[in-house]
Amino acid sequence: MSKSILVTGGAGYIGSHTVLQLLLSGCHVATVDNLDNSSEVAISRVRHLAGDSGKHLSFHKKKSNEARLKKIIYIKIFLNCRFDAVIHFAGSKAVGESVAKPLLYYNNNVIGTIILLEVMAAYGCKKLVFSSSASVYGSPDRVPCTEDFPLAPMNPYGQTKLMAEDICRDLHRSDPEWQIMLLRYFNPVGAHPSGLLGEDPRGIPNNLMPYVQQVAVERRPTLTVFGNNYSTKDGTGVRDYIHVVDLADGHNAALNKLFEKDSKIGCEAYNLGTGKGTSVLEIVSAFEKASGKKIPLVFGERRPGDCEVLYAATTKAETQLNWKAKYGIEEMCRDQWNWACNNPYGYGKSDSNTEDEIISTKTKASDSWFSDVCITS
Ligand code: UDP
């Protein structure tokens, strides 16, 4: 029987890709988003890409971040539908902004999670997939990072993710009926191969890949590389970049684990990464190859709070979730560039005519990416 899943933050970058994979694997999905850092256009494109399954998606706009209203909205949604599980993406995610506005981050990410958990408990829904982050590891002594490494975030954003993880662990200890998957994302990049879904950051991008993309389309003149004197292969920072579609599939795998008959999952953390480290200069060179564009760069100071090298140990997710990232840097840059070419200004600039044109020229059920979707029952 198909499962009903509530996805908070489903119009965002990772959320929209995940909602699509869920629909394609036969789930019924309700999503709620405040559209602060996302667009409703993503929802209509997900519906379109899902074909017939698009009718199994409902969207609720959360108009306020105020705690009491947030709770009322969740209650209204739960009154309408019985959910088998929730995937919780909603929250704020910019590291730099979290340093400048810590209260906003503790409010959205920690209090927001508590409110959701309270409503889930009230309606007897005790299966959760939580969107955590590799930033909970801070700057580890060695790599690859296994899930049992010490947790020592270096900024308020990472701290909010750790606090929410701790709340989940305590909740499970207090009531073992709770089953919670804490998914620690490494560096999600790339876009849906159709070119219809991708990352659309507001303002100046904080992250490397969207910044490189904006330099390639000449929205910004140069990329500043933050530090070239690290003890890495070429002196620049090394990270574990993961294709957003792989990451979305990781959520399907996590849900499958939760729904396994006699599943013994309590509250468990899993890294979602590729296990491979790539430097800033390697990303630039791969993007230049994919796009045929030169990315002018300057070397700047190290960014405060940045670690030198961070990549995932992937064995736990591979063995317990039966999930492994399929795509490499080449595909990540190819799909990022395809998204950039089709949507140089993100979702924002499409009027309804061009929106129809974009959708009709970009998708057919026979498109090759359909066959890549990890279908699960
Ligand atoms: N980076 C950079 N210039 C930028 C943005 C990022 O050199 O404009 C570097 C950053 O120092 C890090 C890597 O790119 O070594 C990935 O940074 P990102 O912010 O994307 O991810 P995070 O640091 O949060 O893992």
Side-chain angles (χ1 to χ4, degrees), residues 93 95 133-135 155 157 186-189 204-212 222-227 230 236-241 278-281 283 298 301-303 305-308 310:
K93 63 170 189 177
V95 170
S133 159
S135 63
N155 49 61
Y157 166 72
F186 280 69
N187 291 61
V189 297
I204 302 172
N206 296 290
N207 297 112
L208 178 64
M209 192 62 108
Y211 204 103
V212 169
T222 49
L223 168 76
T224 302
V225 177
F226 298 142
Y230 286 113
T236 64
V238 167
R239 295 290 184 277
D240 186 339
Y241 297 91
T278 307
S279 73
V280 175
L281 292 183
I283 288 287
V298 292
E301 295 294 308
R302 291 180 178 196
R303 185 169 63 179
D306 262 359
C307 65
E308 188 164 86
L310 191 65

mmCIF file of all heavy atoms in Angstrom, residues 93 95 133-135 155 157 186-189 204-212 222-227 230 236-241 278-281 283 298 301-303 305-308 310, ligand 1:
data_model
loop_
_atom_site.group_PDB
_atom_site.id
_atom_site.type_symbol
_atom_site.label_atom_id
_atom_site.label_comp_id
_atom_site.label_asym_id
_atom_site.label_seq_id
_atom_site.Cartn_x
_atom_site.Cartn_y
_atom_site.Cartn_z
ATOM 1 N N LYS A 93 19.635 27.627 6.478
ATOM 2 C CA LYS A 93 20.819 26.794 6.203
ATOM 3 C C LYS A 93 22.102 27.529 5.861
ATOM 4 O O LYS A 93 23.084 26.894 5.450
ATOM 5 C CB LYS A 93 20.494 25.808 5.095
ATOM 6 C CG LYS A 93 20.156 26.463 3.782
ATOM 7 C CD LYS A 93 20.083 25.444 2.662
ATOM 8 C CE LYS A 93 19.950 26.137 1.314
ATOM 9 N NZ LYS A 93 19.949 25.251 0.188
ATOM 10 N N VAL A 95 25.459 29.183 6.754
ATOM 11 C CA VAL A 95 26.374 29.224 7.895
ATOM 12 C C VAL A 95 26.670 30.671 8.315
ATOM 13 O O VAL A 95 26.566 31.037 9.492
ATOM 14 C CB VAL A 95 27.684 28.480 7.537
ATOM 15 C CG1 VAL A 95 28.754 28.708 8.583
ATOM 16 C CG2 VAL A 95 27.407 26.993 7.361
ATOM 17 N N SER A 133 23.336 17.558 9.094
ATOM 18 C CA SER A 133 24.401 18.105 8.258
ATOM 19 C C SER A 133 25.758 17.632 8.751
ATOM 20 O O SER A 133 25.973 17.413 9.955
ATOM 21 C CB SER A 133 24.321 19.628 8.356
ATOM 22 O OG SER A 133 25.539 20.211 7.996
ATOM 23 N N ALA A 134 26.700 17.531 7.803
ATOM 24 C CA ALA A 134 28.078 17.177 8.162
ATOM 25 C C ALA A 134 28.689 18.246 9.059
ATOM 26 O O ALA A 134 29.720 18.003 9.691
ATOM 27 C CB ALA A 134 28.911 17.015 6.900
ATOM 28 N N SER A 135 28.065 19.424 9.103
ATOM 29 C CA SER A 135 28.630 20.497 9.946
ATOM 30 C C SER A 135 28.581 20.122 11.435
ATOM 31 O O SER A 135 29.244 20.764 12.238
ATOM 32 C CB SER A 135 27.922 21.824 9.697
ATOM 33 O OG SER A 135 26.587 21.695 10.060
ATOM 34 N N ASN A 155 29.760 26.533 14.232
ATOM 35 C CA ASN A 155 28.948 27.739 13.995
ATOM 36 C C ASN A 155 27.527 27.456 14.458
ATOM 37 O O ASN A 155 27.144 26.301 14.661
ATOM 38 C CB ASN A 155 28.984 28.117 12.504
ATOM 39 C CG ASN A 155 28.692 26.915 11.626
ATOM 40 O OD1 ASN A 155 27.618 26.325 11.718
ATOM 41 N ND2 ASN A 155 29.647 26.528 10.805
ATOM 42 N N TYR A 157 24.708 27.443 12.939
ATOM 43 C CA TYR A 157 23.934 26.542 12.080
ATOM 44 C C TYR A 157 24.179 25.086 12.474
ATOM 45 O O TYR A 157 23.245 24.318 12.736
ATOM 46 C CB TYR A 157 24.315 26.765 10.603
ATOM 47 C CG TYR A 157 23.812 25.670 9.707
ATOM 48 C CD1 TYR A 157 22.458 25.561 9.404
ATOM 49 C CD2 TYR A 157 24.680 24.702 9.188
ATOM 50 C CE1 TYR A 157 21.983 24.524 8.612
ATOM 51 C CE2 TYR A 157 24.218 23.667 8.396
ATOM 52 C CZ TYR A 157 22.871 23.589 8.107
ATOM 53 O OH TYR A 157 22.398 22.557 7.332
ATOM 54 N N PHE A 186 26.540 15.811 3.265
ATOM 55 C CA PHE A 186 27.810 16.475 2.997
ATOM 56 C C PHE A 186 27.520 17.670 2.072
ATOM 57 O O PHE A 186 26.721 18.509 2.451
ATOM 58 C CB PHE A 186 28.866 15.441 2.552
ATOM 59 C CG PHE A 186 29.406 14.763 3.802
ATOM 60 C CD1 PHE A 186 28.601 13.897 4.545
ATOM 61 C CD2 PHE A 186 30.661 15.058 4.299
ATOM 62 C CE1 PHE A 186 29.043 13.347 5.749
ATOM 63 C CE2 PHE A 186 31.120 14.505 5.490
ATOM 64 C CZ PHE A 186 30.310 13.656 6.209
ATOM 65 N N ASN A 187 28.097 17.799 0.903
ATOM 66 C CA ASN A 187 27.879 19.040 0.128
ATOM 67 C C ASN A 187 26.987 18.776 -1.086
ATOM 68 O O ASN A 187 27.492 18.384 -2.145
ATOM 69 C CB ASN A 187 29.225 19.616 -0.312
ATOM 70 C CG ASN A 187 30.028 20.140 0.856
ATOM 71 O OD1 ASN A 187 30.375 19.390 1.771
ATOM 72 N ND2 ASN A 187 30.305 21.413 0.865
ATOM 73 N N PRO A 188 25.680 19.007 -0.959
ATOM 74 C CA PRO A 188 24.777 18.739 -2.078
ATOM 75 C C PRO A 188 24.997 19.755 -3.207
ATOM 76 O O PRO A 188 25.038 20.968 -2.959
ATOM 77 C CB PRO A 188 23.372 18.949 -1.483
ATOM 78 C CG PRO A 188 23.574 19.164 -0.026
ATOM 79 C CD PRO A 188 24.982 19.547 0.202
ATOM 80 N N VAL A 189 25.146 19.253 -4.413
ATOM 81 C CA VAL A 189 25.294 20.121 -5.593
ATOM 82 C C VAL A 189 24.578 19.470 -6.760
ATOM 83 O O VAL A 189 24.003 18.392 -6.632
ATOM 84 C CB VAL A 189 26.790 20.339 -5.963
ATOM 85 C CG1 VAL A 189 27.549 21.050 -4.867
ATOM 86 C CG2 VAL A 189 27.471 19.004 -6.298
ATOM 87 N N ILE A 204 23.621 36.809 -2.662
ATOM 88 C CA ILE A 204 24.938 36.285 -3.025
ATOM 89 C C ILE A 204 25.069 34.860 -2.490
ATOM 90 O O ILE A 204 24.860 34.631 -1.299
ATOM 91 C CB ILE A 204 26.062 37.161 -2.417
ATOM 92 C CG1 ILE A 204 25.911 38.590 -2.910
ATOM 93 C CG2 ILE A 204 27.443 36.617 -2.766
ATOM 94 C CD1 ILE A 204 26.835 39.584 -2.231
ATOM 95 N N PRO A 205 25.402 33.906 -3.361
ATOM 96 C CA PRO A 205 25.491 32.520 -2.865
ATOM 97 C C PRO A 205 26.599 32.372 -1.828
ATOM 98 O O PRO A 205 27.665 32.964 -1.960
ATOM 99 C CB PRO A 205 25.832 31.712 -4.110
ATOM 100 C CG PRO A 205 25.588 32.587 -5.271
ATOM 101 C CD PRO A 205 25.690 34.000 -4.800
ATOM 102 N N ASN A 206 26.349 31.578 -0.810
ATOM 103 C CA ASN A 206 27.368 31.294 0.213
ATOM 104 C C ASN A 206 28.216 30.109 -0.195
ATOM 105 O O ASN A 206 29.343 29.972 0.222
ATOM 106 C CB ASN A 206 26.694 30.908 1.540
ATOM 107 C CG ASN A 206 25.896 32.052 2.091
ATOM 108 O OD1 ASN A 206 26.464 33.027 2.530
ATOM 109 N ND2 ASN A 206 24.570 31.940 2.042
ATOM 110 N N ASN A 207 27.621 29.214 -0.966
ATOM 111 C CA ASN A 207 28.289 27.946 -1.263
ATOM 112 C C ASN A 207 29.033 28.006 -2.592
ATOM 113 O O ASN A 207 28.705 28.796 -3.480
ATOM 114 C CB ASN A 207 27.271 26.805 -1.276
ATOM 115 C CG ASN A 207 26.643 26.630 0.084
ATOM 116 O OD1 ASN A 207 25.456 26.888 0.260
ATOM 117 N ND2 ASN A 207 27.426 26.238 1.060
ATOM 118 N N LEU A 208 30.005 27.130 -2.691
ATOM 119 C CA LEU A 208 30.913 27.166 -3.841
ATOM 120 C C LEU A 208 30.193 26.961 -5.183
ATOM 121 O O LEU A 208 30.339 27.782 -6.092
ATOM 122 C CB LEU A 208 31.994 26.088 -3.650
ATOM 123 C CG LEU A 208 32.991 25.977 -4.791
ATOM 124 C CD1 LEU A 208 33.814 27.249 -4.934
ATOM 125 C CD2 LEU A 208 33.910 24.771 -4.580
ATOM 126 N N MET A 209 29.443 25.873 -5.309
ATOM 127 C CA MET A 209 28.914 25.513 -6.632
ATOM 128 C C MET A 209 27.964 26.582 -7.200
ATOM 129 O O MET A 209 28.123 26.987 -8.355
ATOM 130 C CB MET A 209 28.247 24.142 -6.563
ATOM 131 C CG MET A 209 27.922 23.564 -7.888
ATOM 132 S SD MET A 209 29.375 23.263 -8.910
ATOM 133 C CE MET A 209 29.475 21.488 -8.878
ATOM 134 N N PRO A 210 26.981 27.069 -6.424
ATOM 135 C CA PRO A 210 26.140 28.116 -7.010
ATOM 136 C C PRO A 210 26.921 29.389 -7.329
ATOM 137 O O PRO A 210 26.585 30.104 -8.282
ATOM 138 C CB PRO A 210 25.072 28.378 -5.941
ATOM 139 C CG PRO A 210 25.457 27.600 -4.749
ATOM 140 C CD PRO A 210 26.482 26.594 -5.146
ATOM 141 N N TYR A 211 27.988 29.630 -6.578
ATOM 142 C CA TYR A 211 28.798 30.820 -6.880
ATOM 143 C C TYR A 211 29.517 30.625 -8.225
ATOM 144 O O TYR A 211 29.496 31.510 -9.088
ATOM 145 C CB TYR A 211 29.827 31.077 -5.754
ATOM 146 C CG TYR A 211 30.240 32.529 -5.718
ATOM 147 C CD1 TYR A 211 29.738 33.402 -4.758
ATOM 148 C CD2 TYR A 211 31.095 33.040 -6.690
ATOM 149 C CE1 TYR A 211 30.091 34.746 -4.756
ATOM 150 C CE2 TYR A 211 31.443 34.372 -6.705
ATOM 151 C CZ TYR A 211 30.947 35.223 -5.732
ATOM 152 O OH TYR A 211 31.283 36.560 -5.748
ATOM 153 N N VAL A 212 30.120 29.441 -8.400
ATOM 154 C CA VAL A 212 30.811 29.146 -9.659
ATOM 155 C C VAL A 212 29.825 29.266 -10.825
ATOM 156 O O VAL A 212 30.128 29.836 -11.869
ATOM 157 C CB VAL A 212 31.431 27.724 -9.601
ATOM 158 C CG1 VAL A 212 31.916 27.271 -10.963
ATOM 159 C CG2 VAL A 212 32.571 27.678 -8.590
ATOM 160 N N THR A 222 34.150 37.281 -10.688
ATOM 161 C CA THR A 222 35.206 36.320 -10.332
ATOM 162 C C THR A 222 34.789 35.491 -9.125
ATOM 163 O O THR A 222 33.992 35.933 -8.295
ATOM 164 C CB THR A 222 36.512 37.039 -9.885
ATOM 165 O OG1 THR A 222 36.170 38.022 -8.926
ATOM 166 C CG2 THR A 222 37.300 37.629 -11.016
ATOM 167 N N LEU A 223 35.408 34.343 -9.025
ATOM 168 C CA LEU A 223 35.252 33.525 -7.821
ATOM 169 C C LEU A 223 36.433 33.831 -6.909
ATOM 170 O O LEU A 223 37.578 33.861 -7.367
ATOM 171 C CB LEU A 223 35.292 32.038 -8.207
ATOM 172 C CG LEU A 223 35.431 31.076 -7.018
ATOM 173 C CD1 LEU A 223 34.105 30.939 -6.272
ATOM 174 C CD2 LEU A 223 35.911 29.698 -7.474
ATOM 175 N N THR A 224 36.157 34.081 -5.624
ATOM 176 C CA THR A 224 37.258 34.173 -4.663
ATOM 177 C C THR A 224 37.438 32.806 -4.030
ATOM 178 O O THR A 224 36.499 32.252 -3.458
ATOM 179 C CB THR A 224 36.936 35.217 -3.569
ATOM 180 O OG1 THR A 224 36.704 36.466 -4.210
ATOM 181 C CG2 THR A 224 38.107 35.361 -2.595
ATOM 182 N N VAL A 225 38.632 32.254 -4.172
ATOM 183 C CA VAL A 225 38.944 30.969 -3.538
ATOM 184 C C VAL A 225 39.414 31.280 -2.121
ATOM 185 O O VAL A 225 40.384 32.019 -1.930
ATOM 186 C CB VAL A 225 40.043 30.222 -4.330
ATOM 187 C CG1 VAL A 225 40.422 28.928 -3.622
ATOM 188 C CG2 VAL A 225 39.577 29.951 -5.745
ATOM 189 N N PHE A 226 38.701 30.722 -1.154
ATOM 190 C CA PHE A 226 39.007 31.039 0.245
ATOM 191 C C PHE A 226 40.170 30.191 0.748
ATOM 192 O O PHE A 226 39.976 29.135 1.324
ATOM 193 C CB PHE A 226 37.772 30.816 1.123
ATOM 194 C CG PHE A 226 36.594 31.690 0.773
ATOM 195 C CD1 PHE A 226 35.289 31.184 0.825
ATOM 196 C CD2 PHE A 226 36.761 33.008 0.400
ATOM 197 C CE1 PHE A 226 34.199 31.968 0.515
ATOM 198 C CE2 PHE A 226 35.666 33.816 0.075
ATOM 199 C CZ PHE A 226 34.388 33.292 0.132
ATOM 200 N N GLY A 227 41.358 30.683 0.537
ATOM 201 C CA GLY A 227 42.558 30.016 1.067
ATOM 202 C C GLY A 227 43.170 29.063 0.074
ATOM 203 O O GLY A 227 42.470 28.236 -0.519
ATOM 204 N N TYR A 230 46.149 25.518 2.468
ATOM 205 C CA TYR A 230 45.800 24.364 3.304
ATOM 206 C C TYR A 230 46.738 23.201 2.958
ATOM 207 O O TYR A 230 47.305 23.167 1.855
ATOM 208 C CB TYR A 230 44.349 23.928 3.022
ATOM 209 C CG TYR A 230 43.290 24.847 3.593
ATOM 210 C CD1 TYR A 230 42.464 25.586 2.756
ATOM 211 C CD2 TYR A 230 43.093 24.939 4.967
ATOM 212 C CE1 TYR A 230 41.466 26.408 3.273
ATOM 213 C CE2 TYR A 230 42.097 25.756 5.484
ATOM 214 C CZ TYR A 230 41.296 26.488 4.640
ATOM 215 O OH TYR A 230 40.304 27.297 5.155
ATOM 216 N N THR A 236 43.847 24.073 -1.633
ATOM 217 C CA THR A 236 42.485 24.595 -1.408
ATOM 218 C C THR A 236 41.638 23.567 -0.640
ATOM 219 O O THR A 236 41.983 22.385 -0.596
ATOM 220 C CB THR A 236 41.807 24.966 -2.753
ATOM 221 O OG1 THR A 236 41.633 23.784 -3.544
ATOM 222 C CG2 THR A 236 42.656 25.978 -3.535
ATOM 223 N N GLY A 237 40.546 24.043 -0.064
ATOM 224 C CA GLY A 237 39.713 23.215 0.812
ATOM 225 C C GLY A 237 39.131 22.001 0.083
ATOM 226 O O GLY A 237 38.797 22.081 -1.106
ATOM 227 N N VAL A 238 39.024 20.912 0.802
ATOM 228 C CA VAL A 238 38.504 19.666 0.209
ATOM 229 C C VAL A 238 37.179 19.285 0.874
ATOM 230 O O VAL A 238 37.057 19.302 2.098
ATOM 231 C CB VAL A 238 39.548 18.532 0.365
ATOM 232 C CG1 VAL A 238 38.946 17.169 0.058
ATOM 233 C CG2 VAL A 238 40.748 18.798 -0.533
ATOM 234 N N ARG A 239 36.187 18.960 0.023
ATOM 235 C CA ARG A 239 34.859 18.584 0.526
ATOM 236 C C ARG A 239 34.332 17.368 -0.230
ATOM 237 O O ARG A 239 34.829 17.036 -1.296
ATOM 238 C CB ARG A 239 33.851 19.734 0.311
ATOM 239 C CG ARG A 239 34.132 20.999 1.091
ATOM 240 C CD ARG A 239 33.894 20.823 2.577
ATOM 241 N NE ARG A 239 34.082 22.081 3.288
ATOM 242 C CZ ARG A 239 35.261 22.565 3.689
ATOM 243 N NH1 ARG A 239 36.374 21.895 3.456
ATOM 244 N NH2 ARG A 239 35.332 23.710 4.339
ATOM 245 N N ASP A 240 33.238 16.833 0.306
ATOM 246 C CA ASP A 240 32.583 15.669 -0.292
ATOM 247 C C ASP A 240 31.305 16.151 -0.985
ATOM 248 O O ASP A 240 30.274 16.339 -0.346
ATOM 249 C CB ASP A 240 32.267 14.684 0.844
ATOM 250 C CG ASP A 240 31.710 13.366 0.348
ATOM 251 O OD1 ASP A 240 31.205 13.319 -0.784
ATOM 252 O OD2 ASP A 240 31.767 12.398 1.126
ATOM 253 N N TYR A 241 31.391 16.377 -2.294
ATOM 254 C CA TYR A 241 30.229 16.875 -3.042
ATOM 255 C C TYR A 241 29.362 15.698 -3.470
ATOM 256 O O TYR A 241 29.871 14.677 -3.928
ATOM 257 C CB TYR A 241 30.696 17.682 -4.266
ATOM 258 C CG TYR A 241 31.476 18.902 -3.837
ATOM 259 C CD1 TYR A 241 32.873 18.853 -3.694
ATOM 260 C CD2 TYR A 241 30.831 20.093 -3.506
ATOM 261 C CE1 TYR A 241 33.599 19.953 -3.250
ATOM 262 C CE2 TYR A 241 31.550 21.197 -3.060
ATOM 263 C CZ TYR A 241 32.930 21.125 -2.938
ATOM 264 O OH TYR A 241 33.636 22.213 -2.483
ATOM 265 N N THR A 278 37.069 16.370 -2.892
ATOM 266 C CA THR A 278 37.380 17.149 -4.102
ATOM 267 C C THR A 278 37.751 18.568 -3.679
ATOM 268 O O THR A 278 37.053 19.168 -2.852
ATOM 269 C CB THR A 278 36.147 17.184 -5.042
ATOM 270 O OG1 THR A 278 35.724 15.847 -5.279
ATOM 271 C CG2 THR A 278 36.458 17.855 -6.363
ATOM 272 N N SER A 279 38.816 19.106 -4.254
ATOM 273 C CA SER A 279 39.265 20.446 -3.848
ATOM 274 C C SER A 279 38.492 21.525 -4.611
ATOM 275 O O SER A 279 37.845 21.243 -5.632
ATOM 276 C CB SER A 279 40.759 20.607 -4.117
ATOM 277 O OG SER A 279 40.979 20.731 -5.511
ATOM 278 N N VAL A 280 38.622 22.762 -4.141
ATOM 279 C CA VAL A 280 37.954 23.886 -4.815
ATOM 280 C C VAL A 280 38.455 23.987 -6.256
ATOM 281 O O VAL A 280 37.657 24.129 -7.200
ATOM 282 C CB VAL A 280 38.230 25.220 -4.063
ATOM 283 C CG1 VAL A 280 37.647 26.401 -4.823
ATOM 284 C CG2 VAL A 280 37.678 25.169 -2.646
ATOM 285 N N LEU A 281 39.770 23.857 -6.439
ATOM 286 C CA LEU A 281 40.304 23.999 -7.805
ATOM 287 C C LEU A 281 39.853 22.847 -8.707
ATOM 288 O O LEU A 281 39.630 23.050 -9.904
ATOM 289 C CB LEU A 281 41.833 24.086 -7.776
ATOM 290 C CG LEU A 281 42.381 25.366 -7.126
ATOM 291 C CD1 LEU A 281 43.913 25.406 -7.204
ATOM 292 C CD2 LEU A 281 41.801 26.624 -7.772
ATOM 293 N N ILE A 283 36.931 21.403 -8.482
ATOM 294 C CA ILE A 283 35.540 21.740 -8.848
ATOM 295 C C ILE A 283 35.548 22.775 -9.977
ATOM 296 O O ILE A 283 34.819 22.650 -10.965
ATOM 297 C CB ILE A 283 34.763 22.287 -7.618
ATOM 298 C CG1 ILE A 283 34.460 21.167 -6.626
ATOM 299 C CG2 ILE A 283 33.486 23.017 -8.034
ATOM 300 C CD1 ILE A 283 33.384 20.182 -7.055
ATOM 301 N N VAL A 298 40.243 34.602 -8.072
ATOM 302 C CA VAL A 298 41.296 35.254 -7.291
ATOM 303 C C VAL A 298 41.436 34.450 -5.992
ATOM 304 O O VAL A 298 40.469 33.840 -5.530
ATOM 305 C CB VAL A 298 40.960 36.732 -6.949
ATOM 306 C CG1 VAL A 298 40.952 37.607 -8.186
ATOM 307 C CG2 VAL A 298 39.639 36.846 -6.202
ATOM 308 N N GLU A 301 41.706 35.236 1.452
ATOM 309 C CA GLU A 301 41.987 34.680 2.783
ATOM 310 C C GLU A 301 41.126 33.439 3.018
ATOM 311 O O GLU A 301 40.075 33.276 2.405
ATOM 312 C CB GLU A 301 41.602 35.713 3.852
ATOM 313 C CG GLU A 301 42.436 36.985 3.835
ATOM 314 C CD GLU A 301 43.875 36.703 4.195
ATOM 315 O OE1 GLU A 301 44.089 36.064 5.243
ATOM 316 O OE2 GLU A 301 44.774 37.080 3.415
ATOM 317 N N ARG A 302 41.567 32.636 3.989
ATOM 318 C CA ARG A 302 40.709 31.532 4.431
ATOM 319 C C ARG A 302 39.403 32.101 4.981
ATOM 320 O O ARG A 302 39.420 33.175 5.596
ATOM 321 C CB ARG A 302 41.389 30.752 5.555
ATOM 322 C CG ARG A 302 42.596 29.981 5.097
ATOM 323 C CD ARG A 302 43.192 29.241 6.270
ATOM 324 N NE ARG A 302 44.343 28.456 5.851
ATOM 325 C CZ ARG A 302 44.881 27.467 6.569
ATOM 326 N NH1 ARG A 302 44.388 27.170 7.771
ATOM 327 N NH2 ARG A 302 45.910 26.784 6.131
ATOM 328 N N ARG A 303 38.313 31.406 4.811
ATOM 329 C CA ARG A 303 37.034 31.854 5.378
ATOM 330 C C ARG A 303 36.986 31.404 6.835
ATOM 331 O O ARG A 303 37.208 30.211 7.114
ATOM 332 C CB ARG A 303 35.887 31.238 4.566
ATOM 333 C CG ARG A 303 34.512 31.701 4.961
ATOM 334 C CD ARG A 303 33.457 31.258 3.964
ATOM 335 N NE ARG A 303 33.339 29.803 3.878
ATOM 336 C CZ ARG A 303 32.457 29.167 3.088
ATOM 337 N NH1 ARG A 303 31.634 29.859 2.321
ATOM 338 N NH2 ARG A 303 32.404 27.860 3.058
ATOM 339 N N GLY A 305 36.112 29.832 10.197
ATOM 340 C CA GLY A 305 35.233 28.703 10.519
ATOM 341 C C GLY A 305 35.315 27.561 9.524
ATOM 342 O O GLY A 305 34.696 26.518 9.729
ATOM 343 N N ASP A 306 36.065 27.749 8.412
ATOM 344 C CA ASP A 306 36.166 26.660 7.428
ATOM 345 C C ASP A 306 37.129 25.594 7.913
ATOM 346 O O ASP A 306 38.188 25.915 8.455
ATOM 347 C CB ASP A 306 36.723 27.194 6.102
ATOM 348 C CG ASP A 306 35.635 27.479 5.097
ATOM 349 O OD1 ASP A 306 34.459 27.251 5.416
ATOM 350 O OD2 ASP A 306 35.968 27.946 3.992
ATOM 351 N N CYS A 307 36.789 24.332 7.693
ATOM 352 C CA CYS A 307 37.780 23.290 7.978
ATOM 353 C C CYS A 307 38.539 22.991 6.693
ATOM 354 O O CYS A 307 38.147 23.417 5.607
ATOM 355 C CB CYS A 307 37.122 22.058 8.573
ATOM 356 S SG CYS A 307 36.021 21.233 7.460
ATOM 357 N N GLU A 308 39.618 22.238 6.876
ATOM 358 C CA GLU A 308 40.517 21.989 5.749
ATOM 359 C C GLU A 308 39.949 20.900 4.819
ATOM 360 O O GLU A 308 39.759 21.122 3.625
ATOM 361 C CB GLU A 308 41.852 21.529 6.354
ATOM 362 C CG GLU A 308 42.973 21.391 5.407
ATOM 363 C CD GLU A 308 44.298 21.335 6.181
ATOM 364 O OE1 GLU A 308 44.697 20.247 6.617
ATOM 365 O OE2 GLU A 308 44.913 22.398 6.347
ATOM 366 N N LEU A 310 37.004 17.657 4.612
ATOM 367 C CA LEU A 310 35.878 16.937 5.220
ATOM 368 C C LEU A 310 35.266 16.016 4.170
ATOM 369 O O LEU A 310 34.836 16.487 3.116
ATOM 370 C CB LEU A 310 34.827 17.942 5.710
ATOM 371 C CG LEU A 310 33.718 17.383 6.610
ATOM 372 C CD1 LEU A 310 34.277 16.872 7.929
ATOM 373 C CD2 LEU A 310 32.672 18.457 6.900
HETATM 374 N N1 UDP B 1 34.631 28.290 -1.205
HETATM 375 C C1 UDP B 1 35.407 29.194 -1.913
HETATM 376 N N2 UDP B 1 34.794 30.299 -2.434
HETATM 377 C C2 UDP B 1 33.451 30.533 -2.297
HETATM 378 C C3 UDP B 1 32.666 29.599 -1.587
HETATM 379 C C4 UDP B 1 33.291 28.486 -1.038
HETATM 380 O O1 UDP B 1 36.616 29.008 -2.051
HETATM 381 O O2 UDP B 1 32.959 31.560 -2.795
HETATM 382 C C5 UDP B 1 35.270 27.091 -0.650
HETATM 383 C C6 UDP B 1 35.150 26.948 0.860
HETATM 384 O O3 UDP B 1 36.193 27.634 1.511
HETATM 385 C C7 UDP B 1 35.229 25.414 1.031
HETATM 386 C C8 UDP B 1 34.558 24.883 -0.249
HETATM 387 O O4 UDP B 1 34.606 25.961 -1.189
HETATM 388 O O5 UDP B 1 36.573 24.985 1.034
HETATM 389 C C9 UDP B 1 33.109 24.487 -0.038
HETATM 390 O O6 UDP B 1 32.423 25.576 0.560
HETATM 391 P P1 UDP B 1 30.843 25.561 0.748
HETATM 392 O O7 UDP B 1 30.472 26.851 1.417
HETATM 393 O O8 UDP B 1 30.194 25.251 -0.552
HETATM 394 O O9 UDP B 1 30.601 24.313 1.711
HETATM 395 P P2 UDP B 1 31.036 24.085 3.240
HETATM 396 O O10 UDP B 1 32.261 24.901 3.530
HETATM 397 O O11 UDP B 1 29.880 24.499 4.059
HETATM 398 O O12 UDP B 1 31.329 22.628 3.315
#
